[in-house]
Amino acid sequence: MSLKKFLNFPFLFLALIMATVFCCSTKVLDPNLIPKTLYLSFILTVGLLVFLFNRTYHKIHLLIVIYFVYVLYSVSSLVISGNTSDGIIELSKDVSFLLLLHLLFNLYFNKICLFFSHLWSVLIVIGSVVLLYGVYQYIQLASNFEVNHVLTYQVNSFLGHRNLFAQFILLTLFLCLALRIDTGLNKLSRLSFIPFSIVAIAMIFILQVRAVWLSFIVGGLTTIIFLVFFSKSSLDKRSRIKIIILATVAMLAGGAVYYFTGNLPSLLTHIHSVVDFKQGGVNDRLELWKNSVTLFTENPWFGSGLSSWKVEVLNLGVGDSLARNSTTFFQRAHNDFLQIMVERGLLGLFAILSFLGCAAWLYLSQIIRSSKKEKLLLIVLFGGFVSYLCVSLFSFPNERVEVKLLSIFLILPTMINDKIRTYNFKLLWKPVTLFISVLTLLVFTNRFYSETILKKAMQFRDQSNSELSIELFKKAKSHNLVFDPHSTPIDWYIGIEYINQNNLDSAYVYFSKSYAHNPYHIHVLNNLASIESTRSNFEKSKKLLSSSVRINPYFEKTWLNLSILYYNEGNLDSNIHCFMKFWELSNDASFYTKHRERFCNAFIDNLVQNEPNEQLRNELIHIKFNKAWQIKIFNKAVFEKRTFKSQVMLDARYALNLNEK
């Protein structure tokens, strides 16, 4: 294809939206999510503006209509959401996806060959750049460390996360493999796929992303099965041998690279963990899925509202997941379909499954009636589509625009030449779509601005500049930003800064506001409980701390706060029990030795007062004043999970028996 044909609006637009991959900004806490989304929204708005002056009919496909219904229903989910600030962002991303699918469909309608040529040129260049930068990161990592599963998280190319990088490579590989079949490509273009595919498959292996491994296998098997049933004659013996050799060389290359640069036992353990449901990420996913099903049963038809999952799931407790560490707050269900089911209910799930199911049906119908070459291309694209669905079952590609873009490219080929399910609309719809795109652009611009303020506030907070951080936190919140990227309310940060200023009244106001936004956040519960205690609201404080224990019984500060509360109430049994739990869980318990001494002495004094046996009472007094003995008893009770009372009495009776002998 000539340079003149490439330098047209559809190609430039396609190249510009794929350049989204390279966008990032250190001005916000998450340097990739909002910057990439904002850039894509801007390019989409410009594209719709150019399309406005194109006098052709505005065309719409059945798939676009179905997705429009899904988006329209999502508006009602936003209304019932308790997290409207993030819900607006989620809805705006869905709207942008709809508009982008609509615009690309109109630009390439009935021009499937042009679309494939443009897409190949863009993907092979951008995909190669992304892949090579990831390879460079891995080489840098391997030159300094023996690489294991954990260290591979540092290999993320331009996508900000290793898992997203692996998903991007996987879908790009399927797309490029399908486009490689297009005989319109010159020999150099066709040959360029060979090194790309070898390095891509090797990186998929090296990155050790289990969801991508499974999706690669499922997508590959789907492709092979469809080739056998629908296009057995499309691949001659020589072509089959080439594919087998290519895949084998790529896997061996990946294995060899990891063998010489990585930790082989770590790799084998990670492979085994795919089927070990009690290990690491697999166990976390099972816990999240179980909780998601529980949330779904509470509001099965309409869901709990957009972006509500990350708040509501906290109420079900951390279970045995990574969230036990009290710093991890899961934002996604690690299954896009479960996420939709929880937040938008059965109706929302039915809408999105109708969209995807219709796309799959179009693939199957076109595969059956297409020519030999087209059949082979569509089968490989369908394998990529299945891989995307598989990734969605184990991860959350719906959140990030980079992978979402590739899903559009996997769906578009079923629409472009489908005249039967395509309808003409009046030109009035063009300014309507442009207006909606401008609105989403304003939403993303406002979020980007508010997140830049939030990051500045965090920086001043780290510098212990309470005045400026409070001012900036309030300013960020005034721009419809309620939570940080980890679902912690902005009001909580303001409350903490007021605590640092010893302004308990203002702290109470903002902790109460943060509780209204997220009543299941353990840090919010603990800080509000502490303030309630200073205001003599002991029962309310106890209720908040009990909720925190129910949600996360592994958060040591809750046990400490409860022990202090019970001590002030004079409930010494509960006091020492809670403090022992704190001591067991805490990594910095040594800083609380004075608390231990005070609580143990109070508990032993109570035992002395209620012990009728004088000799045993004397032994208890000895324990109180023999600090080494007291510490030994306390530690033994914690280690053997015995009550402090039973351990004290055991030691006292044992000492008494020795003295009598």
Side-chain angles (χ1 to χ4, degrees):
M1 184 171 283
S2 66
L3 180 64
K4 183 178 179 180
K5 288 185 178 180
F6 272 115
L7 294 178
N8 56 24
F9 172 65
F11 176 75
L12 289 175
F13 179 72
L14 197 64
L16 287 171
I17 63 171
M18 274 306 298
T20 302
V21 176
F22 304 119
C23 289
C24 67
S25 174
T26 56
K27 292 183 177 181
V28 290
L29 293 175
D30 185 334
N32 290 280
L33 180 58
I34 294 300
K36 282 179 167 58
T37 311
L38 174 60
Y39 169 80
L40 179 63
S41 181
F42 173 74
I43 297 300
L44 176 60
T45 303
V46 172
L48 287 168
L49 181 62
V50 173
F51 185 61
L52 179 66
F53 297 101
N54 186 328
R55 302 304 296 175
T56 59
Y57 276 108
H58 174 100
K59 299 183 183 298
I60 191 164
H61 189 270
L62 176 63
L63 280 177
I64 296 174
V65 174
I66 295 173
Y67 201 83
F68 173 74
V69 172
Y70 170 71
V71 171
L72 201 61
Y73 174 76
S74 298
V75 175
S76 64
S77 293
L78 177 63
V79 174
I80 63 173
S81 175
N83 181 13
T84 54
S85 68
D86 290 341
I88 290 171
I89 297 298
E90 287 298 314
L91 180 63
S92 298
K93 285 194 288 186
D94 287 337
V95 170
S96 295
F97 176 84
L98 173 66
L99 295 177
L100 182 58
L101 184 65
H102 152 76
L103 180 56
L104 286 171
F105 171 69
N106 277 271
L107 291 176
Y108 288 104
F109 178 70
N110 210 24
K111 301 173 185 175
I112 191 74
C113 292
L114 181 66
F115 172 68
F116 284 151
S117 297
H118 286 180
L119 186 60
W120 166 266
S121 300
V122 171
L123 274 184
I124 198 67
V125 173
I126 292 181
S128 296
V129 172
V130 171
L131 184 59
L132 288 174
Y133 186 57
V135 171
Y136 168 76
Q137 287 179 325
Y138 184 82
I139 292 172
Q140 291 290 102
L141 185 67
S143 63
N144 295 306
F145 305 99
E146 184 182 50
V147 181
N148 56 29
H149 163 247
V150 176
L151 287 176
T152 56
Y153 277 97
Q154 298 181 34
V155 182
N156 52 44
S157 190
F158 299 98
L159 287 96
H161 197 284
R162 180 204 63 173
N163 293 5
L164 287 171
F165 176 38
Q167 292 169 18
F168 184 87
I169 294 173
L170 172 69
L171 299 184
T172 303
L173 179 65
F174 271 100
L175 281 164
C176 288
L177 175 60
L179 298 173
R180 164 71 170 72
I181 298 167
D182 186 357
T183 54
L185 301 175
N186 59 46
K187 188 174 181 180
L188 180 62
S189 295
R190 293 163 68 86
L191 287 174
S192 64
F193 174 72
I194 297 176
F196 174 82
S197 61
I198 291 175
V199 177
I201 296 173
M203 281 303 292
I204 288 173
F205 178 77
I206 289 170
L207 289 175
Q208 304 181 51
V209 181
R210 289 166 296 195
V212 173
W213 282 354
L214 290 172
S215 302
F216 179 67
I217 293 169
V218 171
L221 287 175
T222 301
T223 304
I224 293 169
I225 292 169
F226 271 65
L227 285 173
V228 170
F229 281 95
F230 295 105
S231 189
K232 190 174 182 180
S233 60
S234 297
L235 283 177
D236 55 27
K237 184 177 179 181
R238 185 179 177 185
S239 298
R240 290 196 294 268
I241 292 173
K242 282 182 179 179
I243 292 173
I244 293 171
I245 291 174
L246 185 67
T248 304
V249 168
M251 293 299 291
L252 289 175
V257 169
Y258 196 83
Y259 178 80
F260 290 107
T261 61
N263 187 313
L264 193 58
S266 171
L267 174 63
L268 296 175
T269 301
H270 196 61
I271 293 172
H272 177 260
S273 69
V274 174
V275 294
D276 185 355
F277 296 156
K278 294 183 179 180
Q279 186 171 350
V282 177
N283 178 67
D284 289 345
R285 278 174 172 79
L286 291 175
E287 193 76 35
L288 293 174
W289 295 348
K290 181 183 72 174
N291 288 343
S292 297
V293 171
T294 302
L295 287 175
F296 163 71
T297 57
E298 295 175 0
N299 298 283
W301 288 103
F302 302 102
S304 55
L306 285 181
S307 295
S308 62
W309 183 91
K310 58 187 175 183
V311 174
E312 298 297 328
V313 77
L314 297 175
N315 189 35
L316 299 179
V318 299
D320 198 30
S321 69
L322 182 63
R324 292 172 57 173
N325 62 18
S326 308
T327 57
T328 300
F329 297 93
F330 289 106
Q331 304 301 296
R332 294 276 169 173
H334 285 263
N335 182 315
D336 275 343
F337 301 110
L338 277 177
Q339 185 101 18
I340 291 169
M341 191 170 74
V342 170
E343 296 182 348
R344 311 182 206 207
L346 278 176
L347 296 177
L349 181 65
F350 176 76
I352 195 64
L353 289 180
S354 298
F355 173 76
L356 296 171
C358 186
W361 175 71
L362 287 173
Y363 259 121
L364 293 175
S365 61
Q366 291 178 21
I367 287 171
I368 291 170
R369 68 171 186 263
S370 61
S371 63
K372 182 178 177 180
K373 188 185 75 171
E374 291 173 345
K375 194 185 296 287
L376 183 59
L377 185 147
L378 287 169
I379 286 173
V380 177
L381 284 175
F382 183 67
F385 177 72
V386 171
S387 287
Y388 169 73
L389 295 181
C390 190
V391 168
S392 299
L393 286 171
F394 298 99
S395 188
F396 40 94
N398 192 50
E399 183 194 27
R400 301 282 175 163
V401 294
E402 310 95 300
V403 182
K404 194 90 169 174
L405 274 175
L406 298 182
S407 73
I408 290 178
F409 300 147
L410 288 167
I411 293 171
L412 264 177
T414 66
M415 302 165 54
I416 290 175
N417 278 352
D418 184 25
K419 297 180 182 179
I420 299 175
R421 283 159 286 271
T422 299
Y423 318 99
N424 289 330
F425 272 73
K426 294 181 179 180
L427 296 177
L428 175 65
W429 283 94
K430 290 184 178 182
V432 172
T433 55
L434 177 61
F435 175 73
I436 294 172
S437 183
V438 170
L439 287 181
T440 60
L441 178 60
L442 292 174
V443 168
F444 293 131
T445 302
N446 180 67
R447 174 52 68 97
F448 181 81
Y449 176 68
S450 60
E451 288 198 8
T452 58
I453 298 171
L454 179 61
K455 181 162 186 182
K456 290 178 182 177
M458 292 289 191
Q459 291 170 341
F460 282 115
R461 175 174 176 261
D462 293 338
Q463 297 168 10
S464 301
N465 191 332
S466 294
E467 289 294 337
L468 270 176
S469 61
I470 289 172
E471 180 184 340
L472 290 172
F473 278 129
K474 289 180 178 179
K475 187 176 180 181
K477 188 169 180 279
S478 68
H479 287 270
N480 201 32
L481 182 64
V482 177
F483 295 98
D484 74 354
H486 306 291
S487 69
T488 303
I490 304 301
D491 285 321
W492 178 80
Y493 290 102
I494 300 174
I496 290 294
E497 293 307 308
Y498 277 126
I499 286 286
N500 294 335
Q501 294 181 352
N502 203 29
N503 186 342
L504 299 186
D505 290 335
S506 295
Y508 177 73
V509 170
Y510 282 95
F511 284 145
S512 298
K513 287 182 179 180
S514 63
Y515 178 77
H517 291 305
N518 193 342
Y520 313 120
H521 196 293
I522 55 172
H523 297 291
V524 171
L525 289 168
N526 275 269
N527 289 114
L528 181 57
S530 298
I531 296 292
E532 292 285 7
S533 182
T534 63
R535 299 165 71 91
S536 300
N537 296 329
F538 298 119
E539 286 304 315
K540 190 171 182 180
S541 178
K542 195 186 302 181
K543 184 179 179 182
L544 292 167
L545 292 173
S546 297
S547 295
S548 180
V549 167
R550 178 184 58 79
I551 291 168
N552 188 351
Y554 307 99
F555 185 42
E556 67 274 11
K557 292 298 174 61
T558 304
W559 292 108
L560 177 63
N561 290 334
L562 266 175
S563 69
I564 294 171
L565 182 62
Y566 283 125
Y567 179 79
N568 292 333
E569 283 186 346
N571 188 341
L572 299 181
D573 284 330
S574 297
N575 159 249
I576 199 68
H577 167 74
C578 292
F579 189 74
M580 286 171 63
K581 289 291 296 182
F582 160 74
W583 197 272
E584 178 187 352
L585 295 168
S586 180
N587 293 320
D588 58 354
S590 58
F591 292 102
Y592 296 89
T593 53
K594 290 184 178 179
H595 287 74
R596 179 188 60 195
E597 183 178 340
R598 184 167 74 250
F599 296 159
C600 288
N601 286 342
F603 190 86
I604 294 171
D605 282 339
N606 187 57
L607 288 179
V608 170
Q609 291 174 12
N610 293 284
E611 177 54 52
N613 187 316
E614 184 179 354
Q615 291 176 311
L616 194 56
R617 191 162 59 243
N618 290 333
E619 291 300 333
L620 291 172
I621 293 171
H622 290 158
I623 292 173
K624 176 184 176 181
F625 290 103
N626 188 329
K627 299 306 176 188
W629 190 7
Q630 185 186 110
I631 292 170
K632 184 179 178 181
I633 291 171
F634 179 84
N635 290 336
K636 191 173 183 181
V638 171
F639 180 76
E640 297 187 359
K641 299 189 183 303
R642 214 179 258 137
T643 65
F644 185 63
K645 179 180 180 179
S646 61
Q647 190 63 55
V648 168
M649 297 307 292
L650 277 173
D651 273 53
R653 289 192 181 99
Y654 180 74
L656 182 60
N657 290 336
L658 285 179
N659 291 336
E660 288 177 351
K661 291 179 181 178

